[in-house]
Amino acid sequence: MQETTRTIQLAPSLMTMDLDQFKEQISFLNNKVNLYHIDIMDGHFVPNISLSPWFIEQTRKISDLPMSAHLMVTDAPFWVQQLIDVKCEMICMPAEVSNGVAFRLIDQIHDAGLKAGMVINPETPVDTLLPYIDLLDKITVMTVDPGFAGQRFLAGCLDKITQLRQLREEKGYGYEIEMDGSTNKAHWKMIADSNPDVYVIGRSGLFGLTDNIESSWQQMVSEYEECTGFKFDNGR
């Protein structure tokens, strides 16, 4: 019997969608998912270049869902201001380059009425966030090396999710915990056991399952339920 008490949030990574089916896929997902995950890469922090604040503006023409920007950039202050200008609801910065500007950027985001998050890459420990963890609205744990879709899943990173959940319960912090990287049939059970609040899902877990977004969605739900023992419930 499937348990029905756990609700998750699902955030499709729009970098991995089929751009030739952009409107069709977004229109379908608008009624299915909780928010959209927008990867912004500068070609320096990671070797790839992807999406931009302009992409958020274009997506808003066909969606009212919240946008969560995942910055993979070396110049965080520049990109934070760009995202504030387009009123991106959640701005998640790379912890690895935020030392020295973290408090200022978090305050800047909050002063604009938006939410502030941090992302930790596989080699980055949770302790890096401790000086300002109480100010964060979300913490994203990377379970793959960042920058490209299809990277190897790093199961050891799931321990950080467990650590962050325990810390939140002990200290009463308010951040959400998000995992990002290779969310698919091979890893649903491990990920569910670590129990993040938000699942970022991309090509291997959704967009690449079939050539049709509706059938891909149905297959994703079926695989989630089969692997985890939970009935799929994201509150929509």
Side-chain angles (χ1 to χ4, degrees), residues 2 12 21 23 36 47-49 56 68 72 89 104 167 173 182 195 203 214 216-217 231:
Q2 290 181 326
Q21 301 178 42
K23 187 173 183 179
Y36 290 122
N48 202 2
I49 297 175
I56 293 173
S68 178
M72 286 171 267
E89 286 86 354
R104 174 165 64 86
L167 190 61
Y173 295 143
S182 200
N195 196 16
R203 189 153 192 83
E214 185 172 356
S216 291
W217 176 267
K231 182 177 179 181

Side-chain angles (χ1 to χ4, degrees), residues 97-114:
V97 298
S98 295
N99 186 30
V101 293
F103 285 99
R104 174 165 64 86
L105 293 178
I106 293 168
D107 288 346
Q108 184 179 354
I109 294 167
H110 285 160
D111 288 347
L114 305 170

Side-chain angles (χ1 to χ4, degrees), residues 71-85:
L71 289 175
M72 286 171 267
V73 300
T74 55
D75 187 357
F78 171 81
W79 290 100
V80 164
Q81 186 56 56
Q82 296 287 313
L83 290 162
I84 288 173
D85 290 344

Side-chain angles (χ1 to χ4, degrees), residues 189-224:
K189 180 64 167 64
M190 287 185 286
I191 296 167
D193 286 346
S194 68
N195 196 16
D197 305 301
V198 186
Y199 292 62
V200 177
I201 190 162
R203 189 153 192 83
S204 66
L206 176 60
F207 292 112
L209 294 180
T210 74
D211 59 2
N212 174 274
I213 186 61
E214 185 172 356
S215 60
S216 291
W217 176 267
Q218 292 169 351
Q219 182 173 332
M220 181 209 71
V221 170
S222 177
E223 290 177 352
Y224 171 85

